[in-house]
Amino acid sequence: TQLLEQSPQFLSIQEGENLTVYCNSSSVFSSLQWYRQEPGEGPVLLVTVVTGGEVKKLKRLTFQFGDARKDSSLHITAAQPGDTGLYLCAGGTRSNDYKLSFGAGTTVTVRA
Amino acid sequence: NAGVMQNPRHLVRRRGQEARLRCSPMKGHSHVYWYRQLPEEGLKFMVYLQKENIIDESGMPKERFSAEFPKEGPSILRIQQVVRGDSAAYFCASSPGQGEETEAFFGQGTRLTVV
């Protein structure tokens, strides 16, 4: 079983502040995805990272994949209320028939 | 260019009845995953299927739950003799199953309420 641990579990910040969410594992992943889920909806894919050390930017969101491909972080700059949601990381390995393993998620609340 | 389609969106069943949840993957995707989500919790893996094959059902309860992904038609998650503890959101995801990435795309889920 590949365990993905996300931290913190809950995060509440004021609009305009920055935040970072972490996703850690003792396992190596071929790729790692970040999703955002809003209440009553399914998770929506934000980004996929596949190369150790890779950094991807999506507007105010910056995603980083660790050099050893065991961990990842999501940084949001100048958070807005629209960033509120449950952020999930998921890792997959080709050696495991492409099965995805999910973290428990970080609930982010951005107050106006 | 439809995404992953799940139906119904909401399902109410009385204790002891059967629940059937359907999932049509994205076009070209041959891998389907089912996940369960309880309120305020993350996604818990249930089963991973490829066309006509169950690859990993390690997250499925041993009794009352079954899943299939036939050659034709949607994937079905079936819960027999439902109990209150089965109330949850059930999400289906699909992936192409090829290439470097294993990224999956989710449906909007089926919210099962057992009364």
Side-chain angles (χ1 to χ4, degrees):
Chain A
T1 301
Q2 299 156 314
L3 189 62
L4 277 164
E5 294 186 355
Q6 288 189 240
S7 61
Q9 187 177 358
F10 298 97
L11 192 55
S12 180
I13 61 171
Q14 200 69 32
E15 181 177 5
E17 293 181 340
N18 302 332
L19 69 96
T20 302
V21 175
Y22 299 93
C23 176
N24 296 295
S25 176
S26 58
S27 301
V28 175
F29 292 97
S30 302
S31 65
L32 195 139
Q33 288 81 45
W34 283 93
Y35 296 80
R36 180 170 68 209
Q37 184 182 25
E38 297 184 18
E41 300 295 328
V44 174
L45 180 65
L46 296 174
V47 78
T48 297
V49 286
V50 297
T51 305
E54 182 177 2
V55 176
K56 279 192 174 179
K57 289 183 183 290
L58 187 66
K59 296 183 180 178
R60 293 176 294 100
L61 278 61
T62 302
F63 304 86
Q64 185 161 8
F65 201 12
D67 291 339
R69 291 186 293 151
K70 293 182 178 182
D71 55 88
S72 180
S73 64
L74 158 60
H75 182 79
I76 302 178
T77 304
Q80 298 176 1
D83 296 324
T84 293
L86 175 67
Y87 288 82
L88 297 157
C89 67
T93 59
R94 281 170 288 164
S95 64
N96 197 21
D97 262 336
Y98 292 96
K99 175 185 158 185
L100 279 179
S101 301
F102 275 87
T106 294
T107 300
V108 172
T109 304
V110 182
R111 304 184 303 275
Chain B
N1 187 26
V4 178
M5 303 298 291
Q6 288 189 250
N7 67 83
R9 288 290 307 272
H10 301 274
L11 183 61
V12 179
R13 285 287 178 266
R14 295 187 184 280
R15 280 179 296 170
Q17 290 185 320
E18 179 180 284
R20 276 183 177 243
L21 288 61
R22 293 175 183 77
C23 169
S24 295
M26 285 180 70
K27 188 176 180 180
H29 286 192
S30 59
H31 294 207
V32 165
Y33 310 77
W34 284 94
Y35 293 86
R36 178 162 61 178
Q37 188 175 42
L38 295 171
E40 309 299 325
E41 292 189 12
L43 291 165
K44 294 287 193 290
F45 168 78
M46 298 183 74
V47 62
Y48 168 38
L49 309 103
Q50 296 176 19
K51 279 285 186 183
E52 299 185 276
N53 290 306
I54 296 175
I55 306 302
D56 183 348
E57 56 181 347
S58 58
M60 289 272 274
K62 294 287 185 252
E63 298 177 349
R64 302 188 298 107
F65 285 71
S66 62
E68 62 176 11
F69 188 16
K71 188 177 179 181
E72 301 290 339
S75 175
I76 307 287
L77 178 66
R78 183 180 176 208
I79 311 172
Q80 295 177 294
Q81 299 174 333
V82 296
V83 300
R84 289 232 170 95
D86 297 333
S87 294
Y90 291 83
F91 290 97
C92 166
S94 73
S95 70
Q98 298 175 16
E100 286 291 323
E101 297 90 10
T102 57
E103 56 190 26
F105 296 87
F106 282 83
Q108 291 189 299
T110 294
R111 277 142 191 89
L112 172 66
T113 303
V114 180
V115 297

